[in-house]
Amino acid sequence: MHEVALTVLGVAGLLGIAAFLPPLAFRLNLPFTVLLAVVGCGLGTLVLTLHGLPHVPLVHDLMETFAEGGVTSSLFIAVFLPALLFEAAVAVDVRRLMDDFGHVLLLAVGAVLICVFVVGGTLSAVSSAGIIACLLLGSIVATTDPAAVIGIFRDIGAPRRLSILVEGECLFNDAAAIVMFTLLVGMLKGGAMPDLVSGVTLFLKSFAGGVAFGYLAGRVACLLLPALFGWRMAEMTLTVSLAYVTFVLADHYLHVSGVVAVVAAGLALSAHGRTRMTPSTWETLVETWEQIGFWANALIFLMAAMLVPKMLAGMGWHYLWLLLVLFVATLVARAIVLFGMVPALVRFAAAEPISTPFKVVIMWGGLRGAVSLALALAVTEDTALPAEAKNFVATLTTCFVLATLFLNGTSLRLLIRGLGLDKLSRADREVHHRALILALDEVRERVEAMGKDEEIAEPIVREISGELERRGLDIAMMSEADTPLTPDDRIYIGLATLASHEQELCMEAFREQVISGDLADEALAQVGRLVDGVKINGRAGYEAAVAAGLSFPFDVRVAQWVQYRLGLHLWLARLLSERFEQLLSSEARVRQLLRFTRTHVRPLLGQATAEALTEVLNARLAATQRALTALKEQFPDFARELQRRYLARVSWRLEEEHYRAMLEESTISPEVYEDLARDLGRRRATLDKRLKLDVAMDSESLLARVEMFRDLPADRLRRIAGLLRPRFLVPDEKVVTKGDEGDSMYFIASGALEVKLTTPVSLGSGKFFGEIALLTKRPRTADVVTMSYCRLLELRADDFEQLMHADSALRETINSVADRRLAELGLGPSVGPTPA
Ligand code: CMP
């Protein structure tokens, strides 16, 4: 039979078998990959036993394909691996991943390196295989498959952050392990001894190069998306092309890691492409990739598992001993990461800690999957590798993957129950029940309203609505009987219900196009943090997450620095305008939640719980409003424009709904509707344009706001302005620290600051501070902290001297204010520089 046809037959045949396995796995309550492995081994055994049987063309050909593998490993690496990794990257919640990005990256790369060295070291000590072969084995088994752990985390309702940590770690450790693998295969072929320094340099170059190129490719694809005008199939096709073009270009032309590039491209698409498509297109895209990933996963598993019987047949008993050593070594490597590196990260990078039971689950749940198998297959088929090393690596990897599947995979749930982690799910179940009761309630209200509207006979309406009410009561009774709830339980359930309702509100606002996709994404991520907060620490966790959400993130600090040092203010302006919109929409949501608590949560959870929840929400509302007021005071015009736009968007949507209804009722013809829709589209475009926030500050116009400079002639003003550097600060920033050496003084162009004295003194626009240290050459006399957004003009010590010499009026003003302040501080008068 023709070779291509044979391959097609083999692949299609395997896919045919794979199709029946997910439902079977569900029925048998087994992880899907475990079943794939079992079936693969079964097929392999069948091939071995049927091999010599009489010649029946179809059976013979099929067996031949299966026996030969039919598909070469280079195909595995080039076709299936990019698909698997790209799919995983696209599905990740990038915004949440970004919260922990540094940790994930460090953990992933660290975990791979530790695994390679621990496995390499121990196995080379107990086996005759050379050190490089052992290190190679270490790199192959360093990859982990998150599917099993994630599935279980979902079932037990574990905090979402934990799943994201595991998912993200797997994604990058796959990439890092493959980079390592490629390097070591090169060494094994060349017969070179490992050189640590050049190895690590090469590793970092390949990894960092892959990230940079992949990210760039992903961004370019996102820029191209609008050119496809929302054609769903075209957009999907572009992403397929993105995955493979990135892989090949990185690997073959740029000589950086292709797999790392694919992961980075997938993440870039997930972060920036999502909002350039309609939500339904994005969903289709993720689903389609999931399908491709499913095929890749199933084929890799089946084909690799089919080789197992042949390998086992030729395997000596000593392999069992090596397998045991490998198993323990990988566990030790994971333990070093989880119990050594994670606590160090928590201490030095202020990361959130992971509790010990979860660490144990992550350690035991490190199943290995398709990626390890694909790499092992690649080794078996590489003719340039020494046969002994090939055998060693392939056999041990395959057995090890099966061991993790059968041993860890089947016992993970027991472990979770043993550690008491499934308790979380009890309260979650309760949340589910409550949600169901709420839904039934709503349906009942709607049915009754409809009955009245359409004048349906009352007994019929009563019958249907009575049935709904009974079902709601049944669920309520069942859950009460199941678990008597403590007040804390009730608050937990209440907060979780509020959070899930808030998620719905975000989605609704996005669907109705009242908020942009970007904004909706960020809002959803924030709500996700609230959910995690509740799960980790109940009410206190929720409140902590609210506070964290209102604080200024790291990128604002960096943007401030960029503005101050480089004079570039666009980034800062953008972050602040995003914060503005975020706060406005969050304020609107909290108001809706307060109403929801009154109408829906109180009837379910009782008066006391509703009061506690209202208290939490009111505190959140007040904090949000404080943050908003601070912004509004500094940018009143922007605030007005934002509000105007918000209302304009709502009116736009109502108008659109109206036209559509008119079309459906045939009040207007399709042509007229088209016309109206076009006009609507045009107006929408102006509503969606990003609003510019003006943080640009030229020293001259700011200087004019400072009292003592106001009446200076224009040329003097310009000269002084040339000496001053504008700074933009957010609330609660410390500008001057008591006891520090002074190198600048500041004029306040707008905003307010507080001098932290025993009786604090506040300074508003037009005033100055920080002059005492410059005049007296003594340490700073007090902390000065911003109370609102502030624009300051900074005068450095050298320029200060110059200005004081040149301008006697200024000198007098500053000296007299300083003397008064010094007197208040109980210190002697200043010794100002003498006039020129
Ligand atoms: P310096 O000592 O350089 O740093 C802290 C600043 O706080 C100080 O300069 C003054 O500008 C300011 N400051 C100190 N005391 C007072 C005060 N009583 N009233 C207003 N500002 C003050």
Side-chain angles (χ1 to χ4, degrees):
M1 198 166 167
H2 191 272
E3 209 174 297
V4 174
L6 206 62
T7 306
V8 171
L9 188 62
V11 169
L14 288 182
L15 283 179
I17 295 171
F20 291 92
L21 300 185
L24 193 62
F26 178 75
R27 209 170 289 167
L28 298 176
N29 198 13
L30 267 180
F32 172 54
T33 43
V34 172
L35 194 62
L36 273 178
V38 173
V39 171
C41 290
L43 274 176
T45 318
L46 201 69
V47 169
L48 271 188
T49 42
L50 291 186
H51 206 52
L53 285 191
H55 196 92
V56 183
L58 178 64
V59 173
H60 175 265
D61 287 347
L62 258 183
M63 288 304 145
E64 192 104 301
T65 328
F66 286 163
E68 301 301 321
V71 182
T72 60
S73 66
S74 53
L75 201 66
F76 267 123
I77 302 277
V79 178
F80 297 151
L81 219 46
L84 271 182
L85 293 174
F86 194 77
E87 185 253 325
V90 168
V92 158
D93 182 344
V94 183
R95 271 173 209 263
R96 296 295 303 281
L97 182 65
M98 281 303 150
D99 290 351
D100 282 304
F101 191 66
H103 314 160
V104 166
L105 205 60
L106 202 64
L107 276 184
V109 176
V112 167
L113 292 178
I114 289 173
C115 184
V116 169
F117 290 118
V118 171
V119 168
T122 40
L123 275 171
S124 69
V126 298
S127 76
S128 59
I131 174 82
I132 304 190
C134 295
L135 289 173
L136 182 66
L137 178 63
S139 73
I140 296 181
V141 297
T143 70
T144 48
D145 185 350
V149 187
I150 302 281
I152 291 179
F153 278 177
R154 202 172 299 137
D155 288 352
I156 64 169
R160 179 94 181 94
R161 173 174 166 261
L162 220 48
S163 307
I164 289 180
L165 271 179
V166 172
E167 248 173 291
E169 198 224 278
C170 288
L171 204 56
F172 284 102
N173 86 9
D174 280 356
I178 296 169
V179 176
M180 237 8 215
F181 169 84
T182 318
L183 287 179
L184 288 163
V185 166
M187 283 185 188
L188 200 56
K189 277 184 193 166
M193 272 314 283
D195 164 9
L196 199 62
V197 178
S198 65
V200 169
T201 323
L202 216 59
F203 173 81
L204 290 180
K205 190 187 134 241
S206 184
F207 195 91
V211 169
F213 174 66
Y215 182 74
L216 198 74
R219 284 309 297 254
V220 170
C222 292
L223 287 181
L224 292 176
L225 275 175
L228 303 177
F229 297 103
W231 284 72
R232 198 172 280 210
M233 302 213 186
E235 288 178 339
M236 180 63 211
T237 310
L238 185 66
T239 65
V240 173
S241 161
L242 170 68
Y244 289 101
V245 169
T246 307
F247 180 74
V248 176
L249 285 186
D251 236 18
H252 290 270
Y253 293 93
L254 301 172
H255 305 292
V256 294
S257 165
V259 275
V260 175
V262 167
V263 169
L267 288 175
L269 181 72
S270 176
H272 304 287
R274 183 191 295 243
T275 46
R276 288 188 165 82
M277 305 178 184
T278 62
S280 69
T281 306
W282 180 257
E283 257 166 47
T284 318
L285 189 135
V286 172
E287 270 169 24
T288 313
W289 271 106
E290 209 179 320
Q291 176 71 72
I292 298 176
F294 172 81
W295 289 337
N297 193 39
L299 285 176
I300 292 180
F301 253 97
L302 287 176
M303 290 190 180
M306 280 169 62
L307 298 180
V308 171
K310 208 158 92 185
M311 275 186 209
L312 291 184
M315 189 175 103
W317 280 107
H318 69 290
Y319 269 103
L320 218 51
W321 159 240
L322 292 181
L323 182 62
L324 187 69
V325 175
L326 178 59
F327 194 82
V328 175
T330 51
L331 273 186
V332 169
R334 275 183 90 68
I336 295 177
V337 172
L338 286 162
F339 295 94
M341 279 172 72
V342 171
L345 260 180
V346 169
R347 163 142 346 148
F348 295 117
E352 256 183 79
I354 300 176
S355 68
T356 308
F358 274 117
K359 279 189 208 155
V360 174
V361 172
I362 296 177
M363 187 175 93
W364 189 249
L367 307 193
R368 309 307 199 266
V371 177
S372 294
L373 288 177
L375 296 180
L377 281 176
V379 170
T380 54
E381 285 174 21
D382 197 327
T383 47
L385 290 174
E388 204 182 321
K390 266 184 359 188
N391 222 354
F392 172 80
V393 171
T395 312
L396 272 180
T397 306
T398 320
C399 294
F400 177 67
V401 171
L402 293 182
T404 62
L405 286 178
F406 292 130
L407 219 66
N408 308 34
T410 48
S411 57
L412 202 52
R413 270 172 201 280
L414 277 179
L415 179 72
I416 283 174
R417 208 166 300 148
L419 291 169
L421 285 177
D422 58 340
K423 278 202 207 92
L424 264 176
S425 57
R426 191 188 56 120
D428 265 358
R429 219 173 27 243
E430 206 53 36
V431 175
H432 255 92
H433 280 155
R434 306 281 152 162
L436 214 63
I437 297 171
L438 280 183
L440 285 174
D441 240 24
E442 235 174 80
V443 174
R444 191 169 51 84
E445 276 168 26
R446 298 259 294 266
V447 164
E448 280 169 9
M450 209 176 117
K452 212 174 276 165
D453 271 0
E454 303 188 6
E455 295 179 5
I456 297 175
E458 213 174 289
I460 301 181
V461 176
R462 229 180 299 129
E463 183 196 322
I464 304 273
S465 95
E467 165 71 22
L468 286 166
E469 194 174 355
R470 232 185 341 274
R471 276 170 55 198
L473 281 176
D474 280 352
I475 297 174
M477 263 167 37
M478 201 169 69
S479 61
E480 285 287 348
D482 190 19
T483 46
L485 296 174
T486 66
D488 273 354
D489 277 350
R490 282 172 188 271
I491 292 193
Y492 170 87
I493 293 168
L495 287 173
T497 312
L498 285 182
S500 79
H501 184 65
E502 191 170 350
Q503 260 157 354
E504 226 169 87
L505 291 177
C506 294
M507 285 314 291
E508 196 178 282
F510 173 53
R511 267 196 304 273
E512 295 183 347
Q513 299 193 36
V514 181
I515 60 174
S516 69
D518 259 339
L519 199 60
D521 260 359
E522 182 49 42
L524 281 172
Q526 171 57 16
V527 179
R529 289 176 205 121
L530 295 178
V531 176
D532 273 10
V534 177
K535 285 190 173 166
I536 294 166
N537 210 3
R539 176 175 174 169
Y542 185 90
E543 287 167 340
V546 167
L550 287 172
S551 68
F552 288 91
F554 185 64
D555 50 0
V556 172
R557 307 279 175 211
V558 181
Q560 269 180 304
W561 185 90
V562 169
Q563 189 268 336
Y564 173 53
R565 290 280 161 194
L566 311 176
L568 304 175
H569 43 253
L570 276 182
W571 188 21
L572 183 62
R574 182 162 156 195
L575 290 180
L576 285 180
S577 74
E578 275 170 13
R579 178 179 169 88
F580 223 134
E581 290 195 59
Q582 207 60 58
L583 287 172
L584 267 183
S585 83
S586 155
E587 187 196 17
R589 282 200 307 275
V590 181
R591 285 185 200 285
Q592 281 168 301
L593 289 180
L594 277 165
R595 271 197 297 278
F596 179 76
T597 308
R598 233 175 296 129
T599 54
H600 287 81
V601 182
R602 189 170 47 198
L604 276 182
L605 292 170
Q607 179 68 17
T609 314
E611 270 169 23
L613 293 177
T614 309
E615 203 179 294
V616 174
L617 286 175
N618 274 332
R620 181 174 162 197
L621 185 63
T624 312
Q625 283 172 333
R626 263 197 309 280
L628 253 179
T629 313
L631 268 171
K632 280 183 189 162
E633 274 171 3
Q634 191 59 231
F635 308 104
D637 297 342
F638 188 82
R640 253 192 306 281
E641 180 56 23
L642 267 187
Q643 239 151 14
R644 195 191 69 78
R645 272 199 187 197
Y646 177 73
L647 203 64
R649 279 192 190 146
V650 174
S651 114
W652 183 92
R653 179 176 52 80
L654 291 176
E655 209 178 318
E656 196 212 10
E657 258 173 32
H658 228 76
Y659 294 159
R660 204 157 335 123
M662 280 159 78
L663 175 71
E664 273 160 23
E665 293 160 3
S666 303
T667 321
I668 54 175
S669 70
E671 291 76 24
V672 174
Y673 175 78
E674 284 288 314
D675 236 27
L676 291 169
R678 252 196 303 279
D679 181 44
L680 269 177
R682 259 196 301 277
R683 269 183 293 140
R684 180 77 210 182
T686 60
L687 284 180
D688 285 342
K689 233 186 257 153
R690 196 182 279 282
L691 259 183
K692 277 220 184 75
L693 182 99
D694 186 19
V695 295
M697 308 184 287
D698 78 285
S699 308
E700 224 171 297
S701 57
L702 286 183
L703 202 55
R705 300 191 197 186
V706 180
E707 213 174 309
M708 56 203 265
F709 298 117
R710 198 164 293 150
D711 302 323
L712 290 184
D715 59 326
R716 285 260 311 278
L717 204 64
R718 203 165 313 127
R719 238 197 20 251
I720 297 177
L723 301 176
L724 299 170
R725 189 155 17 159
R727 276 186 78 169
F728 185 90
L729 296 151
V730 300
D732 290 325
E733 258 190 278
K734 200 192 261 185
V735 191
V736 157
T737 307
K738 185 174 177 174
D740 274 5
E741 211 173 292
D743 48 9
S744 311
M745 70 166 292
Y746 303 87
F747 298 95
I748 308 173
S750 71
L753 297 100
E754 192 165 71
V755 184
K756 300 281 182 191
L757 299 168
T758 342
T759 349
V761 177
S762 44
L763 300 174
S765 49
K767 302 281 188 289
F768 58 84
F769 62 92
E771 78 293 351
I772 296 182
L774 298 192
L775 288 169
T776 62
K777 308 270 189 296
R778 281 196 297 223
R780 297 282 194 200
T781 51
D783 282 348
V784 183
V785 179
T786 58
M787 296 201 293
S788 65
Y789 291 89
C790 290
R791 294 171 212 240
L792 303 180
L793 287 161
E794 182 180 6
L795 180 61
R796 323 259 320 153
D798 297 345
D799 300 328
F800 173 75
E801 302 279 342
Q802 196 188 331
L803 197 62
M804 293 288 275
H805 273 96
D807 201 315
S808 59
L810 187 73
R811 186 172 61 237
E812 266 162 40
T813 318
I814 293 186
N815 274 336
S816 76
V817 171
D819 284 343
R820 203 194 65 235
R821 289 177 179 173
L822 279 167
E824 279 171 22
L825 287 164
L827 299 168
S830 62
V831 197
T834 44

